[in-house]
Amino acid sequence: MLLYEKKKEGKLWYIKLYILTTAVLFTGSRIVFFLMIINYLLFFIVDKKNRVTIFVMTGWIIGLTIIGIVITGSYQNMGRYLTIFTHNSTLWGRILYQVDGLKMLLKRPAGLGYMGYYFLQPSVQSAAYTTKFVHNDFLQIGLDGGMIAMILAVILFIQSIYEKSSQDLQKHLLVIIAIHSCLDFNLQFLSIGMIVIVCMQCKEKKELQLKKIKIFCLLTFVGFVLSLRAGIGTSLEYQGKYKQALKIMPELTTARMKQLSKETNKNQAEESADKLIHSNKRISQAYGVKAEIAYGENNYNAMVRYKRQEIKNRKYDIAIYEDYIDKLACILQEKQADSDTKGMKQYLEELLWIQQYIEKINTQTNPIANHLKDESILQFDSNYQNYLEQIRDYYNRNYKTQGDKTQF
């Protein structure tokens, strides 16, 4: 915006430019930094009057980056800008989120509703990562409100950018916000949303006369009541008053999940888990609680059923697999003590299923995950790995018949 000002004389203008450029560096965002460099390069090419200023600012940026590396002795602060194209795990991660998110949208073009992506993503993701949003505002609009809503949002941006009555500054801001929105969630911040609205121009102003004012007032009142209900419910959840929040909004899934994690009474925990499963069958936490209760009651068949579903709903969480192995190991000891060979075979095969399922998940992992900083595939530590190998050997010696190719 400063570079668009016609009058650039005075120290204040340069001070503001230095402060804003330095602030971008201190954000640590390589995407924002890259966009700033592209903008400086653009103005360097098209605006001859600003070339000296931009050249000086480039030196300022390089100087601050070097000073940051020397002082901290680390590339994890300002020096990380130098690795934007070599070691950018964040960028690859966001590309991976969007690939998985696009697949979800294609399968569900009507959208998933607010937070639907967050609940569904652990069961369909193609690598080991954790995220609440897809980090692409346009795709997020599609996942929340459907493909039509996403297409309309894209058209609205394009139409406003090409609107003849819009000023260059307005168009420039819309382009920058649109580009950055493809890799982050700008529009979820009210301030950015207001800037977008201000920059958008309408061709014609139209006045609408409401003929059925009573119906309009009724709909407005209903909308106000629903908004008030949602506001009170989410406010109570924010304050940690989950039971009160659920009395006002029983469908508030996040509050029910938090309440479930606090339950100490078995009956109440099972009731909360059942309600969660009834409203959303993708919540792995609910199946985990059901499995824990079934295990405590020695209802091992039910435990297996719930534990499998918990794993399928959160297939890249290694801790769930390890907990399941621990439980199966205890059951095997019990069956061995009772000389229950049939029972031992059943739960040995369940341990073999875990091995096969993990191998299947790892083969389906997206190659993009190799660029991520964290481990991209499921892998047990040496203790669990050795135990599973011993189980496979024991099963092959005692139960597997020649030529048996049964898949568990």
Side-chain angles (χ1 to χ4, degrees), residues 313-327:
N313 282 356
R314 201 166 189 85
K315 57 186 180 180
Y316 278 97
D317 190 342
I318 198 68
I320 297 177
Y321 294 92
E322 293 174 349
D323 177 67
Y324 193 21
I325 292 171
D326 291 337
K327 286 180 168 57

Side-chain angles (χ1 to χ4, degrees), residues 101-117 120 138-150:
L102 185 59
K103 291 178 182 177
M104 292 166 63
L105 180 59
L106 293 174
K107 289 181 179 179
R108 299 167 179 82
L112 301 165
Y114 179 67
M115 294 293 285
Y117 167 79
L120 181 62
F138 299 109
L139 184 55
Q140 190 72 54
I141 290 171
L143 289 167
D144 291 348
M147 195 173 289
I148 294 176
M150 180 186 73

Side-chain angles (χ1 to χ4, degrees), residues 145-358:
M147 195 173 289
I148 294 176
M150 180 186 73
I151 293 171
L152 290 175
V154 172
I155 291 174
L156 186 60
F157 262 87
I158 294 173
Q159 186 179 22
S160 298
I161 291 169
Y162 282 95
E163 175 58 44
K164 294 181 180 179
S165 61
S166 297
Q167 298 178 4
D168 290 342
L169 174 59
Q170 293 173 306
K171 294 179 180 181
H172 196 151
L173 287 172
L174 286 174
V175 169
I176 294 298
I177 292 172
I179 293 172
H180 194 238
S181 293
C182 292
L183 292 168
D184 218 326
F185 39 85
N186 295 305
L187 300 180
Q188 295 189 35
F189 295 96
L190 181 62
S191 57
I192 302 297
M194 296 303 294
I195 291 173
V196 170
I197 292 172
V198 170
C199 290
M200 288 184 172
Q201 294 285 340
C202 297
K203 291 182 178 180
E204 298 179 1
K205 294 181 180 179
K206 295 181 180 180
E207 293 184 3
L208 298 176
Q209 293 184 352
L210 298 174
K211 297 180 179 179
K212 298 181 179 180
I213 190 67
K214 291 183 179 180
I215 296 177
F216 175 77
C217 291
L218 178 62
L219 292 175
T220 303
F221 177 74
V222 171
F224 169 76
V225 172
L226 292 175
S227 299
L228 182 64
R229 174 176 173 268
I232 294 173
T234 52
S235 177
L236 289 170
E237 180 191 6
Y238 181 77
Q239 297 173 50
K241 300 176 181 178
Y242 307 127
K243 287 186 177 180
Q244 294 92 320
L246 289 169
K247 287 180 180 178
I248 295 174
M249 288 187 70
E251 70 276 14
L252 196 56
T253 303
T254 50
R256 196 171 295 283
M257 290 171 65
K258 293 171 185 175
Q259 179 61 34
L260 178 59
S261 64
K262 293 178 62 178
E263 293 287 5
T264 55
N265 181 278
K266 183 184 74 173
N267 294 330
Q268 290 181 354
E270 188 166 21
E271 182 184 352
S272 294
D274 287 335
K275 288 180 179 178
L276 267 176
I277 293 171
H278 178 73
S279 62
N280 191 333
K281 291 180 172 58
R282 299 287 184 169
I283 307 295
S284 61
Q285 177 191 5
Y287 291 101
V289 170
K290 295 280 287 183
E292 199 70 39
I293 293 172
Y295 178 74
E297 295 175 346
N298 296 329
N299 187 355
Y300 298 141
N301 288 334
M303 186 275 291
V304 167
R305 187 170 67 254
Y306 292 130
K307 206 65 184 173
R308 278 200 179 204
Q309 193 59 50
E310 181 188 14
I311 287 173
K312 289 177 180 178
N313 282 356
R314 201 166 189 85
K315 57 186 180 180
Y316 278 97
D317 190 342
I318 198 68
I320 297 177
Y321 294 92
E322 293 174 349
D323 177 67
Y324 193 21
I325 292 171
D326 291 337
K327 286 180 168 57
L328 290 172
C330 292
I331 295 173
L332 276 176
Q333 291 178 355
E334 180 183 319
K335 297 298 180 183
Q336 188 175 29
D338 295 338
S339 299
D340 183 357
T341 56
K342 183 179 179 181
M344 284 188 65
K345 183 175 185 292
Q346 177 185 353
Y347 296 106
L348 283 168
E349 289 178 350
E350 196 62 22
L351 284 164
L352 296 178
W353 174 82
I354 292 174
Q355 291 178 290
Q356 290 186 351
Y357 190 75
I358 281 185

